[in-house]
């Protein structure tokens, strides 16, 4: 966010510096906190222990504060009761001592006051040398204040307290903190009027709360240490308890990962008869059932592949014999009756289709068995595409489809199996011609440093939503009711997808009802490289222009 233009330049400069500094600090905080955030997201144990520590800290802290505060209040109340009781005795004794003087200007009253204060200080049951006793007579200026103690009364006795005791003749109490010998000391100060024959004077009694403060600090320290120990103990207990629960879950996760990787004999260890043991037993039972099902399915798949391969091979021998006889009949068809000659042509066409189906079945069997291998070599793909287009030109002319080639003028060299690439392009172009609805079919090629892409675009019936994934299924057809021009087997796109995967490439489809379809073959320039992007878009450019 930019600084407003109306601000002075120095202010804007400072704001820019602050903004840059904030970005640097935020970046460093994000970088340093990344391991913590990662642990928080990935570890259930970390979350449970952290939440337990936070909750227990709040609970123990609140309880500890309540205990410490309540203990301090109890100590203070006890000290107040003791000082109040002692003050009452001192007031009575001082009243008796001063009662012998009928007037405030009696010459002997100063000596009596001094003797009384000394006696009150020496007779203090607390026995604390820091106790302060003071007698004042605010209403009688001729009587000088007398104080015994380690500190003066200026810091202990405030004006408001003097007003309450001297003017209102009421008992006052306050807590004051003063420095005694360089140390801050808290005092509990009481003030009370003392009745005499000539009026009343004021007795102030201040007792240090050193013992009570020390006891309160010890209580706070004890509560703090105990609370910290309790929080740590709760964290350890939470960690141990969570570990008991999380460890079997982690073992289950690792076992599940090994099962998904194909290690079907992996099992969890069952200890005891609790819920976790029940979970482990149920998991092992599930793994055993999955293993049996997978083994059974693999056996069925193996038998199916073997059956397909065996049938395909076994049909080769009678097919060869039938082919020889059919070729002989086909070559002599001109001497036959027209109906018989037509039957010979149909026989020849169906034998071609049957032979193609057997070839495709054998190829599919090799893919299923994992025996398919690439014969890669550096090949110029431009002539490969041109050769496919040339061979399908006759079929395209018969159905009224024009093949449009958009190929690079320079060679496109890639490390591929030329036979398999040619088969993929032939299948794509053949399907486009068949579904082209007598409209042009564009074949486009482009390449970059990492990949080469070939797209085949038709403007026929197109594909419905979701069919772009189904077109590569075996024996799947978009419209089974349509009459086929090429006599396909329904396995062409499946074999093409396997050929693309064998190269480490992609074979993808796009289509829209009534707008045609486009298939894109993407192959790496160098065998074994990983594809990241394709040089050509999957959605046709004309379609993109219409949408935009």
């Amino acid at each position: 966010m930019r600084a407003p233009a109306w601000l002075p330049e120095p202010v804007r400069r400072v704001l820019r510096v602050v903004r840059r500094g904030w970005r640097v600090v935020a970046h460093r905080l994000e970088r340093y906190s990344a391991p913590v955030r990662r642990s928080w997201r990935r570890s259930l144990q970390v979350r449970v222990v952290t939440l337990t520590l936070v909750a227990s800290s709040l609970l123990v802290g609140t309880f500890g504060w309540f205990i410490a505060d309540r203990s301090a209040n109890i100590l203070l109340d006890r000290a107040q009761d003791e000082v109040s009781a002692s003050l009452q005795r001192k007031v009575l004794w001082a009243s008796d001592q001063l009662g012998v003087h009928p007037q405030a200007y009696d010459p002997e009253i100063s000596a009596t006051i001094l003797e009384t204060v000394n006696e009150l200080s020496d007779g203090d049951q607390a026995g604390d040398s820091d106790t302060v006793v003071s007698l004042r007579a605010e209403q009688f200026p001729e009587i000088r204040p007398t104080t015994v103690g380690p500190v003066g009364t200026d810091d202990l006795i405030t004006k408001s307290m003097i007003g309450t005791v001297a003017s209102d003749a009421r008992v006052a109490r306050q807590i004051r903190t003063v420095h005694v010998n360089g140390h801050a000391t808290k005092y509990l100060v009481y003030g009370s009027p003392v009745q005499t024959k000539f009026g009343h004077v004021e007795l102030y009694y201040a007792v240090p709360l050193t013992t009570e403060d020390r006891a309160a600090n010890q209580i706070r320290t004890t509560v703090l240490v105990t609370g910290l120990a309790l929080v740590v103990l709760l964290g350890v207990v939470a960690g141990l308890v969570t570990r008991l629960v999380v460890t079997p879950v982690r073992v289950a996760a690792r076992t599940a990962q090994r099962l998904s990787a194909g290690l079907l004999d992996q099992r969890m260890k069952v200890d005891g008869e609790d819920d976790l043991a029940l979970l482990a037993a149920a998991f092992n039972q599930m793994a055993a059932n999955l293993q049996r099902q997978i083994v059974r399915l693999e056996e069925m798949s193996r038998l199916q592949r073997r059956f397909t391969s065996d049938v395909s091979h076994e049909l080769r021998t009678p097919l060869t014999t039938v082919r020889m006889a059919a070729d002989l009949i086909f070559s002599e068809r001109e001497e036959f009756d027209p109906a018989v000659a037509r039957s010979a042509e149909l026989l020849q066409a169906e034998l071609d289709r049957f032979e193609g189906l057997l070839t495709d079945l054998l190829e599919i069997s090799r893919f299923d068995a994992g025996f398919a291998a690439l014969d890669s070599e550096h090949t110029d793909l431009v002539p490969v595409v041109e050769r496919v287009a040339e061979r399908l030109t006759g079929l395209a002319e018969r159905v009224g489809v024009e093949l449009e080639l958009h190929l690079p003028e320079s060679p496109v060299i890639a490390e591929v199996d030329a036979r398999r690439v040619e088969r993929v392009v032939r299948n794509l172009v053949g399907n486009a011609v068949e579904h082209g609805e007598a409209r042009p079919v564009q074949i486009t090629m482009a390449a970059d440093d990492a990949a080469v892409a070939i797209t085949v675009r038709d403007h026929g019936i197109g594909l419905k939503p979701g069919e772009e994934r189904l077109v590569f299924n075996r024996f799947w057809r978009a419209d089974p009711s349509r009459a086929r021009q090429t006599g396909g087997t329904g396995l062409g796109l499946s074999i093409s997808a396997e050929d693309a995967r064998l190269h480490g490439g992609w074979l993808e489809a796009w289509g829209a009802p009534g707008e045609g379809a486009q298939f894109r073959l993407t192959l790496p320039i160098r065998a074994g490289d990983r594809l990241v992007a394709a040089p050509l878009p999957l959605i046709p450019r004309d379609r993109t222009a219409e949408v935009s």
Side-chain angles (χ1 to χ4, degrees), residues 359-379:
T359 302
D360 289 347
L361 286 175
L362 284 173
E363 189 68 19
I364 286 291
S365 299
R366 282 192 286 270
F367 280 120
D368 291 340
F371 295 150
L374 285 178
D375 186 12
S376 299
E377 59 182 8
H378 290 87
T379 306

Side-chain angles (χ1 to χ4, degrees), residues 246-451:
V246 171
T247 299
V249 176
R250 291 175 177 171
V251 172
R254 288 194 294 267
T255 306
Q257 291 174 351
R258 296 191 187 102
L259 288 173
S260 64
L263 303 176
L264 302 179
D265 59 341
Q266 295 295 310
R267 297 293 184 271
M268 291 181 62
K269 184 178 179 181
V270 180
D271 292 327
E273 299 179 356
D274 55 8
D275 295 335
L276 294 177
L278 181 61
L279 173 62
F283 185 90
N284 292 339
Q285 182 65 35
M286 178 191 67
N289 294 335
L290 287 176
Q291 182 179 17
R292 285 194 295 269
Q293 292 291 336
I294 292 174
V295 170
R296 187 171 66 86
L297 292 175
E298 287 180 347
E299 182 64 20
M300 293 177 60
S301 178
R302 186 183 65 81
L303 291 176
Q304 182 182 12
R305 292 195 301 267
R306 181 176 178 180
F307 174 77
T308 303
S309 178
D310 291 346
V311 168
S312 301
H313 281 289
E314 291 298 328
L315 288 178
R316 282 290 183 182
T317 302
L319 178 62
T320 302
T321 304
V322 174
R323 165 66 71 180
M324 293 174 59
D327 288 344
L328 180 60
I329 295 173
F330 185 76
S331 62
E332 301 293 336
R333 69 185 183 281
E334 294 180 356
E335 300 178 2
F336 300 152
D337 183 82
V340 178
R342 177 58 180 164
S343 298
E345 293 175 356
L346 292 176
L347 176 63
Q348 186 76 7
E350 292 302 317
L351 282 175
D352 290 339
R353 183 183 178 191
F354 187 45
E355 189 173 8
L357 177 60
L358 286 180
T359 302
D360 289 347
L361 286 175
L362 284 173
E363 189 68 19
I364 286 291
S365 299
R366 282 192 286 270
F367 280 120
D368 291 340
F371 295 150
L374 285 178
D375 186 12
S376 299
E377 59 182 8
H378 290 87
T379 306
D380 184 4
L381 294 179
V382 174
V384 174
V385 176
E386 291 176 342
R387 186 164 57 248
V388 171
E390 181 180 356
R391 291 178 180 177
L392 292 176
T393 299
L395 173 63
E397 291 177 350
R398 287 199 302 271
V399 298
V401 172
E402 180 184 358
L403 297 180
E404 299 178 0
L405 297 179
H406 305 280
L407 306 178
E409 296 180 358
S410 59
V412 177
I413 307 300
E415 191 177 354
V416 296
D417 188 334
R419 179 183 64 86
R420 295 183 183 275
V421 174
E422 183 175 348
R423 179 168 62 188
V424 174
V425 177
R426 185 171 61 248
N427 283 329
L428 297 180
V429 177
N431 285 339
V433 169
E434 179 183 352
H435 299 89
E437 299 291 333
R439 297 174 184 172
V441 171
Q442 290 92 25
I443 305 171
T444 307
M445 178 188 296
D448 55 23
D449 295 336

Side-chain angles (χ1 to χ4, degrees), residues 110-127:
S110 297
T112 304
I113 290 177
L114 177 61
E115 182 180 359
T116 301
V117 171
N118 288 328
E119 289 292 336
L120 292 176
S121 177
D122 293 339
D124 186 16
Q125 293 181 357

Side-chain angles (χ1 to χ4, degrees), residues 125-197:
Q125 293 181 357
D128 196 334
S129 60
D130 290 338
T131 301
V132 178
V133 178
S134 178
L135 266 175
R136 292 169 174 263
E138 297 294 332
Q139 297 179 355
F140 306 100
E142 63 272 14
I143 299 178
R144 298 177 59 186
T146 304
T147 303
V148 176
V151 294
T153 58
D154 293 340
D155 295 330
L156 288 176
I157 305 173
T158 62
K159 292 182 179 180
S160 61
M161 189 175 189
I162 293 175
T164 302
V165 178
S167 301
D168 301 337
R170 291 187 294 110
V171 177
R173 180 188 66 194
Q174 64 180 10
I175 296 178
R176 300 285 293 173
T177 301
V178 297
H179 286 79
V180 179
N181 298 326
H183 298 285
T185 304
K186 187 182 296 184
Y187 274 85
L188 175 60
V189 184
Y190 268 85
S192 176
V194 178
Q195 298 297 329
T196 64
K197 293 181 179 180

Side-chain angles (χ1 to χ4, degrees), residues 504-532:
W506 307 327
L507 182 57
E508 303 162 285
W510 168 90
E515 300 184 25
Q518 176 164 291
F519 287 79
R520 181 179 68 182
L521 172 65
T522 310
L523 302 173
I525 292 291
R526 291 168 293 275
D529 286 359
R530 181 175 177 269
L531 289 178
V532 178

Side-chain angles (χ1 to χ4, degrees), residues 466-481:
E467 290 185 346
E468 65 274 3
R469 293 184 296 272
L470 300 176
V471 292
F472 301 109
N473 293 345
R474 299 174 185 180
F475 300 107
W476 186 88
R477 293 183 182 179
D479 187 1
S481 64

